[in-house]
Amino acid sequence: MNILKKIIWTTVAGCTLMMATAATAQTQEAPDVLIKRISEDVMATAKADKAINSGDAHRVQQIVEEKILPYVDFQRTTMLATGRYWRDASAEQKKRLTEEFRSLLVYTYAGAIAQIKDQQLEYKPLRADPADTEVIVHTQVIQPRGTPIQLSYRLEKKESGWKIYDVNVLGAWLVQAYKDSFASEIGKSGIDGLIKTLTEKNKKLAVSFAQKVKEAS
């Protein structure tokens, strides 16, 4: 009887897990829908938030942490930017590289948010197969004056949902841009040298970012 109960409970638990997994897959946002939701949320918040409009740098970074970072795969971004040198890095070096590069990109995202005023976003139709696990979502930023800014995102499908791992602004992919400079720095002073360079750059950005936000408000 005890064996029979175990079999029944194991079967029930297995079915429950399968149903939960299927439900998650069915409710998972499409990548273009995700990008639109994040973008609209960030744009609306940046335009309406009094702290951001008054030049509160901490609030700008808080918006990045809350509304953008959960949907970014920083480890993959760092791995791709580091290129072949990633294989040679120790676990601790990989951790430090990811942390410092993450901080650098936070300032990049935060700087963009601080500049939001009267811009609008347009979304291009997604050209992808439902079975694709990697896609590119194309958008463009419409400015009151000046030409539109092309903005695209590379995303990968994970069990937890779609994650952004690369961004293209005006034809230049972020990963490729940093890959060249990372390779140059590693070639001169190794992986620890790159970590040191990123750490020092982030310290300088922390100071300059606060000043720029004040000036833009």
Side-chain angles (χ1 to χ4, degrees), residues 119-130:
Q119 299 91 335
Q120 300 295 325
L121 289 171
E122 286 187 357
Y123 306 92
K124 305 296 184 179
L126 177 64
R127 301 184 184 283
D129 187 275

Side-chain angles (χ1 to χ4, degrees), residues 105-139:
L105 295 181
V106 165
Y107 287 117
T108 301
Y109 286 123
I113 290 175
Q115 299 298 319
I116 293 176
K117 299 298 179 185
D118 301 319
Q119 299 91 335
Q120 300 295 325
L121 289 171
E122 286 187 357
Y123 306 92
K124 305 296 184 179
L126 177 64
R127 301 184 184 283
D129 187 275
D132 288 345
T133 56
E134 295 200 20
V135 300
I136 298 178
V137 175
H138 297 287
T139 73

Side-chain angles (χ1 to χ4, degrees), residues 18-148:
M18 290 174 63
M19 291 170 65
T21 303
T24 300
Q26 289 176 354
T27 58
Q28 194 175 77
E29 280 183 301
D32 55 335
V33 174
L34 174 66
I35 291 297
K36 183 175 182 179
R37 178 173 65 80
I38 297 171
S39 301
E40 296 292 340
D41 187 16
V42 170
M43 290 279 281
T45 301
K47 290 178 180 180
D49 194 292
K50 293 181 179 178
I52 292 177
N53 293 327
S54 65
D56 187 336
H58 175 72
R59 178 56 179 156
V60 176
Q61 289 178 292
Q62 186 179 29
I63 294 300
V64 174
E65 294 279 351
E66 293 176 356
K67 299 182 180 293
I68 298 177
L69 299 199
Y71 307 101
V72 180
D73 185 349
F74 282 106
Q75 182 166 334
R76 183 171 185 194
T77 302
T78 308
M79 179 184 70
L80 292 173
T82 309
R84 63 185 179 85
Y85 299 102
W86 183 259
R87 297 193 304 270
D88 302 325
S90 66
E92 179 60 25
Q93 287 175 322
K94 290 176 180 177
K95 179 175 177 291
R96 289 291 311 283
L97 274 174
T98 302
E99 289 173 348
E100 294 301 332
F101 195 34
R102 177 185 185 277
S103 295
L104 183 63
L105 295 181
V106 165
Y107 287 117
T108 301
Y109 286 123
I113 290 175
Q115 299 298 319
I116 293 176
K117 299 298 179 185
D118 301 319
Q119 299 91 335
Q120 300 295 325
L121 289 171
E122 286 187 357
Y123 306 92
K124 305 296 184 179
L126 177 64
R127 301 184 184 283
D129 187 275
D132 288 345
T133 56
E134 295 200 20
V135 300
I136 298 178
V137 175
H138 297 287
T139 73
Q140 64 177 2
V141 181
I142 307 301
Q143 307 179 92
R145 293 171 295 279
T147 58

